[in-house]
Amino acid sequence: FSSWLVGEGECEWSVLLSLVDNCLTDKHDLTLETLRFFEAIIEKGTEHSMERLVLSRVWSRGYYHSPPNGALQDERDRLNDVSHARERERNREAMQQMQHEEKINSQVSELLNDGGTDCDIHRVINSFLLVVPRALLSAPGDCEHYLHDAHRHYQLWLDITSTYNWPTELNWNDNTASSTHSYDSRPEADIHLDDVFHTVHRQKTDKCQNDRSANKSNSDIDTEKSIRHKDPCPFSQALVHRHSEASNSEEEFDEGPFLRMIFKLLSSMPDQPYQVNLHLTSIISKLALLPHPYLHEYLLNPNLPTAKKTRTLYKTLQEVAKRLTMEVPRIKNYKKIIENTRQQLMSEDPAYDEIGDHNQLVESLIVLEEFCKELAAIAFVKYQHMAQMNC
């Protein structure tokens, strides 16, 4: 059924497009049920349906854009400047924000030490945990609560996709990416590493690979290459070819109808009911858990240099946080309302859903806050797994 849903050939299937349109109407009940349907397709779908729905769009790495010299660090600083530098100079809240960041840094450092991994993913986790400013937080900003579920679900996906024809790492020999790859896109990479470390690490890796290759037959090497660099499905290959032809143009990255819908709904979180936002973030979490290197890079690398106007998960989260930062403080007694709303949502009291007077703005804030913690936990679990695999 899932294969029929997404269709065959090089065109999007009309049924899939109709379902995507359902999600973008102003009828929230229809949006909710269609999101539940898509969630089931992701959970119980086939390799073919996953390729057509999501993965075919990221094979080309058309989302990646090599920045001008010196621009990468400036962009990283901008993306991670969630402390609002102007506020630091003007008021007391700025100092409290700085103290909050230092606390998060300490918590992440402790988490990484407990995780037994040498990989420096500090900034990746920090980026997600610091999306929501301290002044709007409804609870401590740590992700440990989500680690157990992230471990369990990631192992489940590893088991499910073990027979899929998916690559295990980014294909650095791809013509569309070979000259523009970012070392920090790989789960096991240190996003702080400079060019010198890149070179040394690559030399060490090449030496180890050469030593191992010397003890292998040609057939063994060919088999290994075929496993590590698997080809995408025909639909994906057509999209990769289309991107390579337009790689020198200003054409924007086409994330496809499904991801386009997901990002549009995510940017509209403050205007949507709690249940819609809950199922929306659940779908994104499942996608983020998939052990596919291209999707991992696209969704879980906050510092990824992107093509012009390319939407990413982290950019969209920042946009939503910025809007909530402007609108929530306008609510009278907003801190008390945030506290009460969180207590009601976390109590999972069925009677709460029947109450007509909900503050969607505050509800969306709490969903965003918890979602960012969950993404931080997923990123940590995936990096930890890759680190253990490389030991």
Side-chain angles (χ1 to χ4, degrees):
F1 176 79
S2 62
S3 296
W4 166 83
L5 172 69
V6 296
E8 300 285 352
E10 296 186 13
C11 298
E12 306 291 352
W13 195 232
S14 58
V15 178
L16 173 62
L17 297 178
S18 296
L19 289 169
V20 167
D21 289 340
N22 282 353
C23 293
L24 299 176
T25 67
D26 55 359
K27 300 176 181 177
H28 295 307
D29 289 343
L30 179 59
T31 299
L32 178 60
E33 292 306 319
T34 310
L35 286 176
R36 285 173 173 163
F37 177 79
F38 275 127
E39 191 170 9
I41 291 298
I42 293 173
E43 288 178 343
K44 304 179 183 299
T46 64
E47 180 180 0
H48 173 70
S49 65
M50 294 301 299
E51 289 278 359
R52 298 279 298 194
L53 197 64
V54 179
L55 300 177
S56 59
R57 301 294 173 161
V58 299
W59 274 100
S60 69
R61 293 188 80 218
Y63 49 79
Y64 184 88
H65 178 69
S66 183
N69 293 335
L72 179 56
Q73 186 60 46
D74 293 340
E75 177 68 4
R76 286 178 171 177
D77 293 341
R78 184 189 68 80
L79 288 175
N80 288 281
D81 186 19
V82 293
S83 57
H84 304 290
R86 295 178 184 174
E87 292 185 15
R88 289 180 179 178
E89 301 173 359
R90 291 188 301 192
N91 53 43
R92 183 168 55 89
E93 172 59 31
M95 182 60 69
Q96 293 175 339
Q97 175 68 22
M98 292 174 63
Q99 293 171 349
H100 168 64
E101 291 185 11
E102 291 173 358
K103 182 179 179 181
I104 293 296
N105 285 334
S106 176
Q107 291 173 343
V108 173
S109 297
E110 182 178 352
L111 176 66
L112 293 176
N113 290 334
D114 291 343
T117 174
D118 294 329
C119 293
D120 184 2
I121 59 166
H122 203 283
R123 184 177 295 196
V124 173
I125 298 177
N126 266 10
S127 294
F128 287 116
L129 293 182
L130 293 173
V131 166
V132 179
R134 184 209 62 83
L136 297 182
L137 290 177
S138 63
D142 62 74
C143 62
E144 293 188 30
H145 175 73
Y146 291 97
L147 286 177
H148 176 74
D149 283 345
H151 273 289
R152 182 168 58 87
H153 291 146
Y154 185 50
Q155 186 57 55
L156 178 63
W157 278 117
L158 287 173
D159 295 339
I160 291 174
T161 61
S162 61
T163 59
Y164 286 9
N165 188 35
W166 286 2
T168 57
E169 61 182 18
L170 294 174
N171 186 354
W172 305 111
N173 294 323
D174 192 312
N175 291 334
T176 64
S178 60
S179 63
T180 58
H181 70 264
S182 62
Y183 185 84
D184 58 353
S185 299
R186 288 183 289 175
E188 68 272 24
D190 172 5
I191 64 173
H192 298 293
L193 301 181
D194 54 22
D195 293 338
V196 175
F197 186 89
H198 294 182
T199 304
V200 173
H201 179 83
R202 184 61 62 86
Q203 290 173 347
K204 289 182 179 179
T205 302
D206 292 343
K207 183 179 184 301
C208 292
Q209 290 177 344
N210 292 336
D211 292 342
R212 289 195 299 267
S213 298
N215 298 321
K216 294 181 181 179
S217 65
N218 291 335
S219 60
D220 291 335
I221 295 174
D222 292 340
T223 300
E224 181 178 312
K225 286 182 178 179
S226 67
I227 293 174
R228 295 178 69 85
H229 300 300
K230 299 172 182 175
D231 293 329
C233 69
F235 182 59
S236 301
Q237 290 175 331
L239 291 173
V240 170
H241 178 68
R242 190 183 310 165
H243 169 71
S244 63
E245 290 181 339
S247 59
N248 294 325
S249 71
E250 294 297 321
E251 183 175 329
E252 296 178 18
F253 170 61
D254 180 11
E255 64 274 84
F258 181 74
L259 285 176
R260 190 180 306 118
M261 174 269 292
I262 290 295
F263 285 135
K264 189 168 184 178
L265 288 179
L266 190 64
S267 64
S268 302
M269 279 182 64
D271 305 314
Q272 296 165 173
Y274 173 71
Q275 288 295 334
V276 170
N277 290 334
L278 208 58
H279 282 276
L280 172 65
T281 53
S282 177
I283 287 175
I284 301 175
S285 295
K286 287 178 171 59
L287 295 177
L289 279 163
L290 291 177
H292 192 287
Y294 296 92
L295 190 62
H296 172 96
E297 176 183 53
Y298 183 50
L299 294 180
L300 291 179
N301 185 356
N303 305 291
L304 179 70
T306 56
K308 184 179 181 180
K309 297 183 180 179
T310 294
R311 281 167 291 202
T312 66
L313 176 58
Y314 186 66
K315 284 182 185 178
T316 307
L317 293 174
Q318 284 195 309
E319 291 170 2
V320 176
K322 182 178 180 180
R323 177 181 169 186
L324 291 172
T325 301
M326 295 175 61
E327 296 186 13
V328 170
R330 297 173 183 171
I331 303 173
K332 186 178 180 180
N333 298 324
Y334 73 93
K335 291 189 176 181
K336 187 63 176 178
I337 293 176
I338 291 175
E339 180 183 348
N340 292 339
T341 301
R342 180 181 179 83
Q343 290 177 351
Q344 292 172 322
L345 292 176
M346 297 304 162
S347 68
E348 299 183 356
D349 183 3
Y352 178 74
D353 293 334
E354 300 175 2
I355 301 175
D357 186 19
H358 286 193
N359 192 315
Q360 284 189 182
L361 202 63
V362 174
E363 288 178 341
S364 65
L365 169 66
I366 294 172
V367 173
L368 176 66
E369 178 184 344
E370 295 303 310
F371 181 46
C372 289
K373 295 176 187 176
E374 185 176 10
L375 290 174
I378 292 172
F380 171 75
V381 167
K382 295 180 77 174
Y383 277 85
Q384 184 186 50
H385 173 78
M386 292 303 299
Q388 293 171 349
M389 291 289 290
N390 292 333
C391 289

